[in-house]
Amino acid sequence: MLISSYNPTALGDVLMMITGQATNAEQEVELKGDVARIYRTSDQQLVGVNLLNANNYVDNLTGNGQIFLDDQQVEQVNQALKTNGFSDRLQADHEPKFVVGLVETLVAHPDSDHLHIAQVDLGQEKLQIVCGAPNVGVGQKVVVAKVGAMMPDGKLIWPGKLRGVESFGMICSARELGLSGAPQRHGILVLDATSEVGVAFDFDQDYSRNY
């Protein structure tokens, strides 16, 4: 997993990368030169890297939010880690995190009057997702934010439990996806039946007919 963001307007020339999950209470930071290495205190596992003066190390950094580093840029980050005294190596992550899924089954949550437990087919895998949308139904084509996705508002998707039931992603609404003209009402985005399961969600299409 590699979640990268770059926001020079708000944060200056800092490339922020997340490689794992940890709360603020569970992590520590080690500083060397232009690198802040963030690690989980329980097992010393790397969970993030902040690279200062990033343009001195990485070519073609553009964007204002989440960005997707190519293989060459990741290798340049690894060289920056080495130059600043760290032995960690990051791996490029090209797996799409917003994917078209098919709701195969839906059962009521045993400890909630509005949550449902969905089994969602993503083509190469199936995920259990707890969903509270009133319009979710079996047979729908939906947009799934997988573990490791960064939502348009900056929220990260991690595995979790909702009232004791494990959930491994989120079925998204148009508003959560930041789509133009998305309604503010509560409810997931239901895609056309012809949408292909397992493909990356195309944010550039016009989905207003599905609202």
Side-chain angles (χ1 to χ4, degrees):
M1 177 188 303
L2 180 61
I3 307 169
S4 306
S5 63
Y6 185 65
N7 188 343
T9 302
L11 300 175
D13 189 17
V14 180
L15 176 60
M16 304 176 68
M17 294 157 284
I18 299 170
T19 62
Q21 184 179 15
T23 66
N24 288 337
E26 297 170 332
Q27 65 188 33
E28 295 287 345
V29 179
E30 182 181 4
L31 296 171
K32 290 183 182 179
D34 284 331
V35 172
R37 179 185 189 270
I38 306 165
Y39 62 93
R40 198 161 42 223
T41 52
S42 60
D43 57 7
Q44 307 299 301
Q45 183 69 36
L46 180 75
V47 295
V49 171
N50 291 344
L51 178 61
L52 284 65
N53 300 308
N55 272 285
N56 291 343
Y57 301 95
V58 182
D59 295 332
N60 302 317
L61 276 181
T62 59
N64 193 26
Q66 184 176 19
I67 63 172
F68 299 92
L69 300 176
D70 61 30
D71 291 335
Q72 179 180 345
Q73 290 173 316
V74 172
E75 187 53 42
Q76 289 172 333
V77 170
N78 286 330
Q79 184 59 48
L81 286 168
K82 182 178 180 180
T83 299
N84 285 276
F86 291 105
S87 60
D88 304 279
R89 286 190 60 83
L90 307 186
Q91 298 292 325
D93 185 354
H94 302 306
E95 178 184 334
K97 297 298 187 291
F98 294 90
V99 180
V100 176
L102 170 67
V103 180
E104 288 195 325
T105 65
L106 197 68
V107 298
H109 191 294
D111 189 33
S112 172
D113 61 0
H114 72 283
L115 295 176
H116 290 83
I117 305 168
Q119 302 296 329
V120 186
D121 180 14
L122 298 181
Q124 298 298 315
E125 61 180 328
K126 295 184 180 181
L127 297 180
Q128 176 172 288
I129 300 176
V130 178
C131 179
N135 63 327
V136 65
V138 172
Q140 291 173 338
K141 302 285 182 67
V142 297
V143 183
V144 173
K146 299 173 61 177
V147 169
M150 177 182 283
M151 304 301 294
D153 65 0
K155 175 184 177 182
L156 298 177
I157 303 299
W158 299 113
K161 288 186 177 181
L162 278 76
R163 296 201 176 183
V165 175
E166 291 185 321
S167 184
F168 299 95
M170 184 172 75
I171 302 175
C172 302
S173 69
R175 176 176 52 81
E176 289 165 332
L177 293 167
L179 300 182
S180 177
Q184 297 303 303
R185 64 178 180 272
H186 190 45
I188 59 169
L189 175 66
V190 179
L191 301 174
D192 296 340
T194 56
S195 299
E196 183 179 351
V197 171
V199 304
F201 177 67
D202 184 356
F203 281 84
D204 293 328
Q205 284 193 32
D206 181 4
Y207 296 95
S208 56
R209 65 181 182 277
N210 300 92
Y211 298 164

